[in-house]
Amino acid sequence: MKQCTGLWIVAPINRAVDDKSAKHLLGNTFKRQLKYDGTYSAVIFICSKTDDISKTEAADALRLGSRMSKLDDKLSDIMRKKRVTKKQADQAKDDKADHDKAAEDLDDQLEKWEELLKQVEAGKTVYAPKATSKKRKRSAKASPGSRKKHARLGDDDNQITVDSDTDDEETEFGNSQSNNPLTEEAINEKIDKLKSSKKHARKEIGSLREKIKELREIISTLDDEAAVIEAQQDIMCIEGRNEYSREAIRADFAAGIRELDQEDAADEDPDAFDPDEDLRDYDEVTRSLPVYCTEIPQLQAHCKQLTENGRAAACKRFLNSVNQLLTSLGLWSSDDGSGLKMTSQQRTDERVFLTNKLKKLGKQLEMRVREIMDDAMETICEQIFDNFTGAIDAAGDKAGSTSAGWGAHRNDGGHYWSTYKAVVRRYGVYTSGSADARDFNADLVEPMYKTLASHWECAFQRQLPAILKGITKSAGTTLKDFHTALEARFSQKGHGLARIGRLRNQLGAYEAIFTDLAQTMIQSIQEK
């Protein structure tokens, strides 16, 4: 885990209020390892299944009742309109079906009468069609008392009419049977009447078709409006739960760190322990924990932001190198000719002076490095090595009870005989699907970890970084003193003033190099 530059903790949110998830998800061992590695700032908490939510539960838990009620009223009104419109659409479909049947009957009658007209024109004697009778089965879904509609052609007004019938059989009549033969004029009159009725039926069918289309569009619009309202309710509940969970997870994470700090402080020095004293800025821990509720774009932006410092440092390092190169080229190409006026002895004196100053600069920088190393070693001895004895004693005191617990009864937290045997035969480390991971060695050294945790954090996360950062200031001061001595010498001798002025611009570049060097050492120590 210490090799990771970022730790992503993903946990599902299945409830309206995800209580204590961060506090219980991160065990003490995990949080203590974060403390050793100094990777609190690398933790990112990601909440998944944010769209898996019960609106009723979320509304009650997050107190969204009034806002939800307004949307529920709108949704109920839309659904009522939808039911009325759907009923109208169903009625229009039934009417269209009746008119379609009537149009088919008209086609059949028209075909018969046109055939009679052909026979009359051929000189034959024809009579009106006989009455026809056909059975119609009652719909299986219709109740015994239901009334079934049938469309037919009215003989007097050539209009489509709809009759209701409750009988199982229906008899349809054409023109009344007559003993008188039909004339061509009577047949043409009947045909014209049928065509007119057919045209009217088609017109009614077209009108009903348009009406059905309009009603369907209305229903579709109502469905869209209902979907929008339901989406608003979902968004309201999801955003409310996400915000609540985000704050709760941050607070729980900081509370878990506080408990671990207090536990370590109490074990370290019970007499001096004050539970009301904050060992770190827990409010900053709360604010700094990134929590994303499946917000992928924001998470991507955060990941890009994490690399900004590294990329900026690399760019500055490159620009400083280019600046040094250009300055060196400028110095080599800007000879003012003053060296030609110096005698051989003067050049020798200047060479000796510069050589001595460079040696002195090297010794001073080495001394600064030794001071940094001495301070670092003193810190490590004070915080780590001097506390080894107490940590070992703590582990030794609890070794007996810890090992006895492995062989205790199952109800008392012990292991099954088969599990205990498997762990011992594998040098204390065993993992199985039923027994999970068992590490007797880690159990034995756990008291040492607890004892050294606070000292380790103090040494490697606070004191050593501060000491290493001091090299920037001390080395920078030493380099400035060296440059000042050269300026005074050249000013006294009256030569090289232009070049020494250009070298002053390099002081900032070397300070940046020292800063980058210190940061690199800090990162190297924390990674190890």
Side-chain angles (χ1 to χ4, degrees), residues 497-511:
L497 295 177
R499 293 185 176 184
I500 196 65
R502 297 190 65 175
L503 279 175
R504 174 173 288 277
N505 297 329
Q506 290 289 83
L507 294 177
Y510 278 101
E511 287 182 359

Side-chain angles (χ1 to χ4, degrees), residues 95 181 528:
D95 293 344
K528 299 296 183 182

Side-chain angles (χ1 to χ4, degrees), residues 35-188:
K35 196 170 186 179
Y36 271 99
D37 298 337
T39 52
Y40 286 127
S41 60
V43 174
I44 299 176
F45 205 98
I46 302 174
C47 304
S48 63
K49 292 187 177 180
T50 56
D51 56 344
D52 184 7
I53 189 170
S54 170
K55 290 187 287 188
T56 302
E57 180 183 356
D60 294 338
L62 301 174
R63 299 180 181 179
L64 302 175
S66 59
R67 297 168 61 186
M68 290 289 289
S69 296
K70 293 180 181 179
L71 294 177
D72 285 335
D73 292 340
K74 293 182 179 179
L75 185 60
S76 298
D77 184 59
I78 291 174
M79 299 308 294
R80 181 186 59 79
K81 293 179 180 179
K82 179 182 175 181
R83 287 192 297 271
V84 172
T85 306
K86 191 175 184 302
K87 186 180 295 185
Q88 294 175 354
D90 292 340
Q91 182 62 48
K93 290 179 183 178
D94 293 340
D95 293 344
K96 180 178 176 295
D98 292 337
H99 283 78
D100 286 337
K101 183 62 176 63
E104 292 177 2
D105 293 341
L106 289 172
D107 286 336
D108 294 340
Q109 295 183 40
L110 185 59
E111 184 179 352
K112 292 178 181 180
W113 285 93
E114 287 177 345
E115 181 62 29
L116 292 176
L117 179 59
K118 291 180 180 179
Q119 294 178 8
V120 169
E121 291 176 346
K124 297 181 180 180
T125 301
V126 298
Y127 297 91
K130 295 181 179 180
T132 59
S133 176
K134 62 180 178 180
K135 292 185 178 181
R136 292 186 180 179
K137 294 182 180 180
R138 188 184 303 276
S139 172
K141 297 181 180 180
S143 61
S146 64
R147 298 174 62 85
K148 189 173 181 181
K149 296 180 179 180
H150 303 287
R152 64 178 178 81
L153 174 63
D155 292 332
D156 297 333
D157 53 7
N158 292 338
Q159 298 297 316
I160 302 297
T161 60
V162 179
D163 294 339
S164 296
D165 195 357
T166 58
D167 297 332
D168 289 341
E169 294 184 7
E170 177 183 337
T171 302
E172 294 184 354
F173 296 94
N175 288 352
S176 300
Q177 180 67 25
S178 175
N179 294 326
N180 299 325
L182 295 173
T183 63
E184 183 177 352
E185 181 180 357
I187 294 175
N188 284 325

Side-chain angles (χ1 to χ4, degrees), residues 214-273:
E214 292 176 358
L215 293 174
R216 286 178 176 173
E217 291 177 353
I218 294 174
I219 292 174
S220 178
T221 301
L222 293 174
D223 286 338
D224 292 341
E225 293 178 0
V228 169
I229 293 179
E230 290 176 350
Q232 290 176 349
Q233 290 179 326
D234 291 338
I235 292 173
M236 183 189 304
C237 294
I238 291 172
E239 288 181 347
R241 185 182 65 176
N242 288 352
E243 186 61 30
Y244 185 94
S245 298
R246 188 179 291 111
E247 297 301 324
I249 288 171
R250 287 171 176 164
D252 292 342
F253 181 77
I257 301 301
R258 182 197 295 269
E259 290 180 3
L260 187 62
D261 288 343
Q262 291 179 346
E263 180 183 348
D264 293 339
D267 292 340
E268 178 183 349
D269 191 352
D271 297 331
F273 172 65

